[in-house]
Amino acid sequence: MTVKRTNALGFIFITILIDVIGLGIIIPVFPKLIQELTGASLSKASTIGGWLSVCYAFMQFLCSPILGGLSDRYGRRPILLIALLGLGIDYVFQAVAPTIGWLFLGRVIAGMCGASFTTATAYIADISTPEKRAQNFGLVGAAFGLGFIIGPAIGGICGQWGARVPFVVAACFSLLNFLYGYFILPESLEKDHRREFSWKRANPLGAVKQLRRYPIVSGLVISFTLIYLSGQAVQSTWAYFTMLKFNWSTQMVGYSLSVVGVLIALVQGALIRVTIPKFGQKNSVYIGLILYTIALVLFGFASKGWMMYAFLVPYCLGGIAGPALQGIISSQVPHNEQGELQGALTSLMSLTTIIGPLMMNNLFAWFTNTKTAPVYFPGAAFIAGAVLMFVSILFAIPSLKSYHLSIKETTS
């Protein structure tokens, strides 16, 4: 059984890694393709690109609970394979897109197929023992870290032969991933652990409402959402902040993001396998959130470019909180609702990628406008992120206390 679990975990890690590499490949050339289809300036293309991102996130927000519920009914494997196949077809679709309308339709399809991550995390919950679940969730973060190092590098190289070539390469990665899963990936959810599909529960509101049945989960889900909303301070304004304050080039921004990818991969792929057993899940959440909060404040007040690299260390070390938090939440929900749970969490994450950039980019714009800003402060978004992260700690405290008591009662 241990060998089977280890093999299945390796399969799912490679599946997520290849999926993320496919997503990363198209990042460097997306602006160029938008310009090619619209004839717009880079400035205008960035606005269109923003709406394409919102379109993707909104469809993922709507569809994640549906596919999560379907995976509880029919098993993880078929839903994961359908999502991977759909993503591969979508890349082909976008590679031959004759108009910008096709590109928007492609983002709709990609958002619907983004449930591959929802189903993958439910798969990890299925095959993990309670004491290993948080550590195994860290593999998702490690795959994202590695994927977003490898993918953009491949995309940048392939983009030299045209803006559409990386989409073809991404399609090949996704379709190979589908074949890999079809022939190698076993089913993780046994038939006697499945449940009936319900449209009433297969929507963002219905899925989140279901989580209210689990008292410990409710506060942690709010904390989980605030963590991802806070993270948008870094994701949305990092390039703008460093270019404005330190005059970084696009190349330097790229290097810094590669460092982020390496650190995330190391922390979530290796370090949490030491820290979570040593400190426990509850303490790992506290330590991680405190490190996140401190790092965001440091980013906001950084006065030299090298400081941003130094402050990435505590920020990425804060990554021990996410898998630990997800492990605790997952442990409170039965096997036949793991897909619904992961669908609800993915839906909430998608919501933060809609709200977060609007909030953080506007904060950056407001506090860097010398004509209207009450005070010139480019790091305002980072401080807002730190405040949200601190609030997430406050929401987590009661639930983590209840979780600690329940563990004591179980072991006594």
Side-chain angles (χ1 to χ4, degrees):
M1 181 63 72
T2 302
V3 172
K4 285 183 180 179
R5 280 177 175 161
T6 303
N7 289 342
L9 200 58
F11 296 153
I12 208 70
F13 173 77
I14 293 170
T15 298
I16 297 170
L17 177 61
I18 296 173
D19 211 5
V20 176
I21 289 172
L23 289 171
I25 283 172
I26 69 171
I27 290 173
V29 294
F30 219 74
K32 193 185 292 185
L33 182 59
I34 294 170
Q35 286 185 288
E36 186 181 302
L37 292 173
T38 62
S41 66
L42 189 60
S43 177
K44 179 65 176 174
S46 69
T47 302
I48 296 170
W51 283 111
L52 284 165
S53 297
V54 168
C55 187
Y56 174 86
F58 183 69
M59 290 309 299
Q60 196 173 50
F61 169 72
L62 289 178
C63 295
S64 291
I66 296 173
L67 294 185
L70 287 172
S71 78
D72 283 339
R73 173 66 183 87
Y74 298 105
R76 315 298 182 208
R77 187 174 181 273
I79 305 305
L80 186 57
L81 292 177
I82 289 169
L84 293 174
L85 180 62
L87 201 57
I89 293 169
D90 172 62
Y91 286 137
V92 174
F93 187 84
Q94 291 182 87
V96 299
T99 66
I100 192 67
W102 279 47
L103 216 55
F104 272 97
L105 183 57
R107 290 287 84 192
V108 168
I109 297 169
M112 293 168 65
C113 296
S116 58
F117 300 116
T118 299
T119 313
T121 48
Y123 192 108
I124 290 171
D126 292 339
I127 64 173
S128 301
T129 58
E131 61 274 11
K132 290 284 186 181
R133 188 170 287 168
Q135 298 169 52
N136 291 342
F137 277 135
L139 289 176
V140 178
F144 266 85
L146 287 173
F148 277 111
I149 297 168
I150 300 168
I154 296 173
I157 294 167
C158 295
Q160 298 173 21
W161 297 295
R164 296 173 186 266
V165 174
F167 286 87
V168 176
V169 177
C172 292
F173 268 94
S174 290
L175 294 173
L176 284 171
N177 205 5
F178 166 77
L179 292 174
Y180 173 83
Y182 184 82
F183 289 108
I184 302 295
L185 195 68
E187 178 55 64
S188 64
L189 186 65
E190 296 174 5
K191 289 186 177 180
D192 56 348
H193 285 156
R194 298 179 189 180
R195 65 176 178 84
E196 290 300 314
F197 179 80
S198 166
W199 281 107
K200 188 178 179 181
R201 296 166 61 169
N203 61 80
L205 185 59
V208 172
K209 281 177 69 177
Q210 287 297 314
L211 299 182
R212 292 170 60 189
R213 294 179 299 151
Y214 307 102
I216 291 174
V217 169
S218 299
L220 295 182
V221 166
I222 296 172
S223 180
F224 180 89
T225 307
L226 289 172
I227 290 167
Y228 277 89
L229 184 59
S230 171
Q232 288 298 321
V234 176
Q235 294 177 38
S236 301
T237 68
W238 180 269
Y240 299 101
F241 176 82
T242 53
M243 285 178 174
L244 178 70
K245 190 155 187 179
F246 308 118
N247 200 29
W248 280 10
S249 64
T250 53
Q251 190 176 31
M252 183 63 80
V253 172
Y255 288 150
S256 68
L257 293 176
S258 295
V259 171
V260 173
V262 171
L263 289 173
I264 289 173
L266 287 173
V267 170
Q268 302 214 8
L271 186 63
I272 63 167
R273 297 186 173 276
V274 177
T275 56
I276 289 179
K278 183 176 179 61
F279 301 121
Q281 292 186 84
K282 178 175 75 77
N283 289 333
S284 294
V285 172
Y286 284 134
I287 293 168
L289 295 184
I290 290 168
L291 285 169
Y292 270 146
T293 305
I294 292 170
L296 285 164
V297 172
L298 292 173
F299 285 149
F301 288 100
S303 57
K304 302 288 183 184
W306 64 264
M307 293 180 177
M308 300 302 284
Y309 282 96
F311 300 155
L312 279 174
V313 175
Y315 182 77
C316 291
L317 284 173
I320 66 173
L325 188 63
Q326 203 166 357
I328 294 170
I329 293 171
S330 178
S331 70
Q332 303 301 303
V333 177
H335 281 294
N336 63 0
E337 294 180 19
Q338 288 294 329
E340 180 178 61
L341 167 65
Q342 301 304 331
L345 294 179
T346 303
S347 189
L348 291 169
M349 286 164 56
S350 301
L351 186 62
T352 67
T353 63
I354 298 170
I355 298 169
L358 294 172
M359 175 184 170
M360 300 304 178
N361 285 358
N362 279 309
L363 268 174
F364 177 83
W366 174 258
F367 280 95
T368 54
N369 187 328
T370 52
K371 293 180 180 179
T372 58
V375 114
Y376 181 78
F377 185 46
F382 294 125
I383 302 305
V387 171
L388 288 170
M389 197 68 75
F390 180 75
V391 174
S392 78
I393 298 173
L394 300 181
F395 273 104
I397 288 172
S399 293
L400 290 176
K401 282 183 177 178
S402 299
Y403 170 73
H404 185 64
L405 288 172
S406 69
I407 293 295
K408 273 189 170 181
E409 289 172 5
T410 305
T411 54
S412 60

